[in-house]
Structures are given as C-alpha cells and as structure tokens.
Amino acid sequence: YAEPSKSFGERFPALVTGFFFFMWYFLNVIFNILNKKVYNYFPYPYFVSVIHLLVGVVYCLVSWTVGLPQRAPINKELLVILTPVAFCHALGHVMSNVSFATVAVSFTHTIKALEPFFNAAASQFVLGHQIPLSLWLSLAPVVIGVSMASLTELSFNWTGFISAMISNIAFTYRSIYSKKAMTGMDSTNVYAYTSIIALLFCIPPAVLIEGPQLMQYGFKAAIAKVGLFKFLSDLFWIGMFYHLYNQLATNTLERVAPLTHAVGNVLKRVFVIGFSIVVFGNKISTQTGIGTAVAIAGVAIYSLIKANMEEGKRKAALAAAS
C-alpha cells in the first residue's frame, strides 16, 4: 500500500511553528502601536476596552455561525466556573488599557514584567504551593529592574503605574481561576465564552465613567481630528488585532514545549518594548533602559527555571505511569 502523502505542516513542522510565532509577534506589535495611536487622539480606555472585546465577540459569533470552530455547548455549571475567569480578564484588560493611555507603551510593558512575581506569590500564599528558593531569587532582578525604570521614567505617573499593577494582580487571579476552569472544552471556545462574559463586565463602567464625556465631546473631538472613517476603522482594527493576537498566542503555545513557551513570552515583550520606542520616539533615560533590560533578563531567568521545573514534573509523572 502506498503511504498517504504528508501535509506541509507534517513535513516542515518547524517552519509552521516559526510562522505561528512570527504572526503572534507581528499582530501583537501592530496592536500595541495602533492602540497607542488611538489613545493619542481618543483617550478613553474604558470605551476602547469594550471595543476590543466587542469586535472579538462578533468575530467569534461569526466563526460559530459558519462552523469554524463548532460551538461547544455551555450550561449553568460551566458558566459559574468561567465567570470569575472572565471578571479577572475584564479587570486586567481594562487596567492595562488605562495604563497604555496614560504612560508610554514601553513603560507599561516594563511594569507588566512583574506578573511572574505576582504569580509566584499567589501560588505560594493563596494556593499553598511551595515555591523553590531559586525561583524566588530569579525574581529579584525583575523587581530591581522595574524599580530602576520607574524612578527615572519620563512618562511616569501614578495612574499608569497603579493601573498596570492592578492588571498584574487581575491576570494572576485569572490564571488561578483558569486552572479551576479545566472543563474539557477546547481553548478556542473557552476564550470565546470568556470574551463574551468579560464584555458584559466592561460595559457598565465604560458607560458610567466615560459615557457623559463621550456623548458631550469625546466622539466629536475624535472625528474632528481624524475624520469619521478613520476613527471607525481604527476602532475596528484595534479590536481585530487584539482578538487575533490572543488567538494566535493560544494556537502557538499549544504547539511548543514549556521551555519554548517561556522564551517566546519574554521575546514578545522585548519586541513590543523595542518597536514602541522606535515608532513613538519615546525618550528614555539611561537608568530606565538599564532597568528595563534587567527586568526582562529576570523574567527570562524565571521563565527558564519554571519551564525546567514543569518539564521535570512531566517526565517524573510519565516515569511513574510507565
């Protein structure tokens, strides 16, 4: 019998995985740049956060309608499990956008480099997991680097700093609740349902906090600056890029080992910080640059140690099973 011909992905898996990484980084960089450009003439992060999720939800509904992918059924029990995940996702997303709107993109991503520290703290003190000393020590450069960058960052203000920190905490708890929400549903459907519920959480604060300003002069000022077509197209594309880069990140990370996943996340942050500095011409002090580099290096060390630990656990489990 003739062997069935292999697909391109089966013959060249490394090329396909590399393409996924490229698209993940590319979409993420474009999103961050376009998102900041919108804030330069339309500084309403609560409303923009709603647009991000709304465009993604419409995309998911259309995808379900055509059957790509098939919609997974949801019941009351699954809804109860996913609601805390969606709330933390909504809070983290909105606070990230508040930070993006008030400080430089590079500075927000530097603050968000602290997310592993919050993850470790939550694992130790909330979930009761024992975190090795080596992992804690690897986080020291992250804390030191972020502190150095914050002290001399030219765009620093407390709103941007505190919002990014709240985002870190929210995404940490999202990770905790996500582990409890292992429902057997595929990741695409989980993210779709999470986006729908998160959108419902984001709408009320957007209406209450920014609604009166938007109706009075927010929309008029934006249209006067860039025109109606560009304003609407910018809102659409930031929502589309937001959804697509998150979806590509999920698809990419499903294809690679934990170690590659860890390195990929660190490199993505380096790409975003570097491109944002070049595109927006942000002036940074020498201390800010050194602090950012130290923080990113600390995240890389932490990620490598954590990935090796996870790989060791996986091999131990396989050995025990065999």
Side-chain angles (χ1 to χ4, degrees):
Y1 294 96
E3 291 186 7
S5 59
K6 294 183 178 179
S7 65
F8 182 85
E10 292 173 328
R11 285 183 293 162
F12 307 102
L15 285 178
V16 175
T17 301
F19 176 75
F20 271 74
F21 268 104
F22 170 78
M23 290 304 298
W24 173 26
Y25 288 9
F26 174 76
L27 293 172
N28 190 270
V29 168
I30 295 299
F31 163 74
N32 277 277
I33 292 173
L34 183 57
N35 200 44
K36 184 62 177 180
K37 286 185 175 181
V38 169
Y39 284 134
N40 286 339
Y41 70 83
F42 187 68
Y44 297 94
Y46 289 87
F47 178 78
V48 171
S49 298
V50 169
I51 296 299
H52 289 161
L53 293 170
L54 178 62
V55 173
V57 166
V58 172
Y59 178 90
C60 292
L61 294 176
V62 173
S63 299
W64 278 340
T65 301
V66 299
L68 296 171
Q70 293 291 333
R71 185 180 72 84
I74 189 169
N75 53 35
K76 183 179 179 180
E77 288 74 18
L78 291 177
L79 190 63
V80 170
I81 292 173
L82 289 175
T83 297
V85 179
F87 174 77
C88 293
H89 179 67
L91 178 61
H93 178 55
V94 170
M95 289 296 100
S96 292
N97 278 294
V98 171
S99 183
F100 284 136
T102 52
V103 296
V105 173
S106 56
F107 181 58
T108 298
H109 277 278
T110 302
I111 299 301
K112 287 175 72 63
L114 280 172
E115 193 171 324
F117 174 82
F118 288 97
N119 281 329
S123 297
Q124 176 92 43
F125 302 113
V126 178
L127 297 179
H129 298 164
Q130 192 62 37
I131 303 298
L133 179 61
S134 60
L135 209 58
W136 281 114
L137 291 176
S138 70
L139 290 169
V142 182
V143 177
I144 294 170
V146 171
S147 299
M148 288 176 61
S150 300
L151 289 173
T152 55
E153 170 59 40
L154 301 178
S155 69
F156 178 90
N157 67 57
W158 283 107
T159 301
F161 178 82
I162 293 173
S163 298
M165 294 293 280
I166 294 174
S167 172
N168 283 334
I169 297 171
F171 284 142
T172 295
Y173 277 91
R174 182 186 64 178
S175 299
I176 293 174
Y177 287 120
S178 294
K179 291 181 180 179
K180 298 179 180 180
M182 297 300 177
T183 60
M185 188 186 298
D186 66 278
S187 59
T188 302
N189 274 289
V190 168
Y191 183 67
Y193 282 120
T194 300
S195 297
I196 293 171
I197 302 170
L199 175 63
L200 299 178
F201 281 121
C202 287
I203 291 175
V207 172
L208 294 174
I209 296 173
E210 296 178 344
Q213 296 176 340
L214 287 171
M215 298 306 296
Q216 187 175 357
Y217 51 81
F219 291 126
K220 294 178 182 178
I223 294 171
K225 289 179 181 177
V226 299
L228 178 61
F229 177 78
K230 179 171 174 53
F231 176 53
L232 294 178
S233 63
D234 281 353
L235 291 179
F236 169 77
W237 283 115
I238 57 175
M240 184 59 69
F241 279 120
Y242 172 77
H243 182 82
L244 290 178
Y245 101 73
N246 277 287
Q247 191 63 64
L248 259 294
T250 302
N251 297 336
T252 302
L253 301 180
E254 285 179 343
R255 298 178 59 88
V256 296
L259 185 60
T260 309
H261 169 189
V263 174
N265 267 324
V266 175
L267 289 178
K268 183 207 74 173
R269 201 172 296 282
V270 173
F271 267 78
V272 172
I273 291 174
F275 274 97
S276 66
I277 291 174
V278 171
V279 171
F280 296 107
N282 298 332
K283 294 181 179 180
I284 60 173
S285 67
T286 302
Q287 183 173 324
T288 298
I290 294 173
T292 300
V294 170
I296 295 299
V299 173
I301 295 170
Y302 168 87
S303 300
L304 294 175
I305 294 175
K306 184 72 180 294
N308 283 323
M309 288 171 52
E310 295 295 329
E311 187 66 14
K313 290 180 182 179
R314 188 184 69 83
K315 289 180 178 179
L318 289 175
S322 61

